[in-house]
Amino acid sequence: MSLSHYISDLSVRAFLARWWQFAAAVASGLLMVLAFEPFNYTLLAWVALAPLLYALSGEIGWKRALVCGWLAGVTFFFFSTNWITHSMIQFGGMAKPLAYGASFLFSAVVAIFPGLFALVMARLVRASGYRALLLAPFVWVATEWLRGIITGATWNALGISQVDRISIALWAKVGGVWLVSGFVTLPGAILAAWKRRTDSVRKFIFQLLPVAVAALLLWWFFPPFLLVEDPIHVARQIRPDIDVAAVQPDIPLSIYESPGEASEYFERTLKLTRGTISQAGNQKTDLIVWAESPLTLNYEHDEAVRARLNDLVQQTGDNLIFSAIARDGDHYFNSAQTIAPPSGSQPVRQLRRYDKIRLVPFGEYVPFRFALGCFVPPMVGDFTPGREAAVNTLRLKTQHAILQNEETDWQPGLERTTNFARTGTFICYEAAYPNLVRQFVRNGATLLINISNDAWFGNTAGARQHLAHARMRAIENDRDLVRVTNSGISALITADGRVADELPTFTPAAKVWQAHLNSRETFYTRYGDWFPLVCTLISLIAPALSLVRPRSSPVRGNS
């Protein structure tokens, strides 16, 4: 072999030795993308981290580990959330290169957290050997949770991909979506450790088999709701129903540019509502829910709007929840208003207003407006965030039997009746925030309502991903969830996350759903983000211990 051929062969081998780890990281990112809508190959989520973890357990230094994790994150976030470019291009008037550049910048920032995951895992493997790969679920959950805490970007936690697998998703009642994420990352960690083919690792995995079998039996025969609620009370509790008329108006976003059309669509929505109520016949409706839409209703300060809505409530005798713009002094709020029908001597009245807490950056407000304001289109709002997860008590038309005292064993004669429901209404992408939705249930909500305007997503995967987040919130809190959007996907979501009834998308439609009310709390509702807190502590303590007592390892690294 000539010297030039030898040098060329050496260069190729050096290139492959250096770059295969980056390719493995990108492969993990693509596997995660395929686990979500629009592909929805949910089983791939269970092995998605295996290529990345295998790369991290080889000869790798901390800089390359950080880059590998970052590459996996950029690939995942950019391709799974690139629907955000649709809104920027179609409605923000941004040029495609700028829109995709903004999307990449967003992905690059949130990808720092998968990068931290890779950095911690590489350190643990160097210090403790390949068995440290089994700590990957804890480190992944910690960085996934911290991503939401620090950046507010909670979208597409890995556990969301399993919402269709009810037997897995039900564990969210215990530890939220974070516990599901932990389950999902474990097989990839085991696979990466197994591929290293060391006797000590295989022996350790075989030792874990009895524990895995016991966990599988527990999972199969004792569904997680039995770990959360007293099964005697669950079986005997009589849950009342509420009949909800959901109105999906399908109002085009173009009315933002043609305010004169707003009154026409307002009248059309009123007509659609009255028609739905009249078609219900003998079925008594208790509540009407209007979607968040381009109708900028100002119930508190527009007398004409207030009069028309009060008239609707008085005629139907139903409660009404709708999206509105509210103003307190110089502050504007994106709000969910609730008005109640006359009762006794009380006229139509406004109940507690919910002001949206989690505003959409560059949609409802501009972060660092003093510096960035000149770079964003004028359509971006300037709202003030709300402060409290408001819950309203609604009177129902029908008396329902319920258990009188849930702390007392059920006996005949202890039943009583109620005609009240307590609703917690959150707005749009607040469905992606587990702890926020949990606060409504902690404040007493027996029914969850999500109003949204998913027309911003167009025909992209964004609407389906948004629905998946709402389904997980229903599971976590064991609440039926009424989801009403402007253009779809509007649906009744049961407490186990199933979509019971779905309206056609991009079509004016309305339907009466019967939802169940529930006052019990799940373990997650009661104790919140306990699992990611535990994972964060483990992720901090384990690397610290490895620094104090470093252990020799077959893994060698370079930077």
Side-chain angles (χ1 to χ4, degrees):
M1 180 183 291
S2 66
L3 179 61
S4 61
H5 286 166
Y6 175 79
I7 293 175
S8 176
D9 181 62
L10 188 65
S11 300
V12 170
R13 283 186 293 173
F15 175 84
L16 293 176
R18 184 175 182 85
W19 291 95
W20 76 268
Q21 293 162 329
F22 295 152
V26 172
S28 281
L30 291 175
L31 287 172
M32 288 189 285
V33 171
L34 292 173
F36 287 84
E37 293 284 358
F39 309 101
N40 210 31
Y41 299 123
T42 58
L43 286 177
L44 292 180
W46 294 81
V47 296
L49 291 181
L52 175 62
L53 290 171
Y54 184 76
L56 296 175
S57 61
E59 294 185 1
I60 189 168
W62 71 269
K63 293 179 182 178
R64 202 185 308 175
L66 181 64
V67 172
C68 281
W70 183 81
L71 278 174
V74 165
T75 303
F76 172 52
F77 294 118
F78 182 75
F79 289 105
S80 68
T81 63
N82 62 8
W83 42 260
I84 64 178
T85 60
H86 175 83
S87 298
M88 291 187 284
I89 295 170
Q90 296 296 322
F91 308 113
M94 291 182 67
K96 286 186 178 181
L98 287 177
Y100 281 100
S103 178
F104 180 82
L105 180 61
F106 163 78
S107 302
V109 171
V110 294
I112 293 172
F113 294 89
L116 293 176
F117 162 78
L119 179 63
V120 172
M121 289 307 305
R123 171 61 199 173
L124 290 175
V125 173
R126 282 176 60 87
S128 305
Y130 302 130
R131 287 184 291 184
L133 288 171
L134 299 180
L135 291 174
F138 300 102
V139 181
W140 179 265
V141 169
T143 53
E144 193 173 65
W145 181 63
L146 290 173
R147 163 165 62 94
I149 296 294
I150 296 173
T151 68
T154 57
W155 197 268
N156 280 359
L158 199 55
I160 293 291
S161 66
Q162 304 303 303
V163 74
D164 285 329
R165 301 187 176 276
I166 302 299
S167 57
I168 295 294
L170 282 176
W171 285 96
K173 294 176 183 286
V174 180
V177 67
W178 319 112
L179 183 57
V180 182
S181 289
F183 284 150
V184 169
T185 55
L186 182 58
I190 293 175
L191 182 60
W194 183 267
K195 288 294 289 182
R196 279 300 166 187
R197 300 181 183 275
T198 65
D199 291 338
S200 61
V201 169
R202 290 192 173 187
K203 181 179 178 181
F204 182 68
I205 292 176
F206 275 122
Q207 290 171 346
L208 287 178
L209 284 179
V211 178
V213 171
L216 182 63
L217 292 175
L218 178 67
W219 166 30
W220 185 265
F221 290 105
F222 298 95
F225 61 81
L226 297 185
L227 303 177
V228 181
E229 301 175 317
D230 181 347
I232 296 176
H233 283 155
V234 170
R236 293 174 175 171
Q237 184 187 14
I238 305 172
R239 300 183 180 184
D241 298 325
I242 180 172
D243 295 309
V244 183
V247 181
Q248 175 183 290
D250 190 32
I251 300 173
L253 299 177
S254 59
I255 72 166
Y256 286 122
E257 302 173 358
S258 305
E261 298 180 9
S263 59
E264 177 184 342
Y265 282 105
F266 181 44
E267 294 300 327
R268 193 183 78 174
T269 304
L270 286 168
K271 183 178 179 180
L272 179 61
T273 304
R274 289 192 171 96
T276 302
I277 299 299
S278 63
Q279 290 175 9
N282 295 329
Q283 183 179 2
K284 294 182 179 180
T285 52
D286 301 298
L287 171 64
I288 301 167
V289 180
W290 280 10
E292 183 188 30
S293 75
L295 288 177
T296 54
L297 304 178
N298 191 333
Y299 178 81
E300 296 176 346
H301 295 91
D302 189 325
E303 293 184 5
V305 168
R306 185 166 62 251
R308 296 304 305 277
L309 293 178
N310 286 354
D311 183 58
L312 172 67
V313 167
Q314 186 159 0
Q315 288 179 4
T316 62
D318 293 333
N319 300 277
L320 173 65
I321 295 176
F322 59 97
S323 173
I325 302 298
R327 187 183 78 224
D328 290 339
D330 295 330
H331 297 283
Y332 288 84
F333 302 90
N334 184 0
S335 303
Q337 297 273 11
T338 304
I339 52 179
S343 177
S345 60
Q346 291 183 318
V348 173
R349 63 198 185 282
Q350 178 184 349
L351 303 183
R352 296 184 67 192
R353 187 185 80 202
Y354 170 66
D355 299 325
K356 189 177 182 183
I357 295 173
R358 286 286 187 173
L359 301 175
V360 180
F362 300 105
E364 294 171 318
Y365 79 105
V366 180
F368 310 107
R369 178 176 283 276
F370 65 91
L372 302 178
C374 59
F375 298 104
V376 297
M379 63 175 287
V380 175
D382 192 14
F383 292 104
T384 300
R387 297 183 178 181
E388 184 183 1
V391 171
N392 281 305
T393 300
L394 309 182
R395 182 182 294 274
L396 309 181
K397 296 176 181 177
T398 305
Q399 295 280 341
H400 295 277
I402 64 168
L403 193 62
Q404 183 179 23
N405 186 352
E406 294 179 355
E407 303 299 326
T408 306
D409 289 338
W410 182 88
Q411 295 177 8
L414 282 183
E415 311 97 65
R416 65 182 176 86
T417 59
T418 184
N419 61 339
F420 292 98
R422 291 177 60 80
T423 58
T425 304
F426 52 100
I427 302 173
C428 196
Y429 97 132
E430 288 184 318
Y433 292 89
N435 193 57
L436 172 60
V437 177
R438 167 182 166 265
Q439 292 302 321
F440 287 98
V441 182
R442 289 290 291 165
N443 290 344
T446 56
L447 176 71
L448 291 173
I449 296 170
N450 179 211
I451 57 175
S452 182
N453 183 5
D454 285 4
W456 298 104
F457 295 131
N459 287 313
T460 68
R464 283 284 166 191
Q465 292 180 9
H466 200 185
L467 175 66
H469 286 79
R471 293 171 63 188
M472 187 61 75
R473 304 293 87 84
I475 296 171
E476 289 168 340
N477 298 284
D478 195 29
R479 292 292 186 274
D480 279 13
L481 192 155
V482 173
R483 185 168 191 270
V484 188
T485 77
N486 176 38
S487 60
I489 302 166
S490 300
L492 171 64
I493 302 171
T494 63
D496 60 0
R498 302 177 196 272
V499 179
D501 205 350
E502 184 177 316
L503 297 181
T505 58
F506 296 101
T507 303
K511 197 165 188 177
V512 177
W513 295 324
Q514 188 174 79
H516 296 294
L517 305 176
N518 185 16
S519 59
R520 302 194 63 81
E521 291 185 347
T522 65
F523 194 90
Y524 175 73
T525 301
R526 190 168 298 174
Y527 299 106
D529 293 340
W530 66 271
F531 182 68
L533 281 170
V534 169
C535 292
T536 302
L537 290 175
I538 292 173
S539 301
L540 293 173
I541 293 172
L545 291 177
S546 71
L547 291 173
V548 174
R549 299 181 61 185
R551 174 184 175 274
S552 60
S553 168
V555 180
R556 295 289 181 264
N558 52 63
S559 59

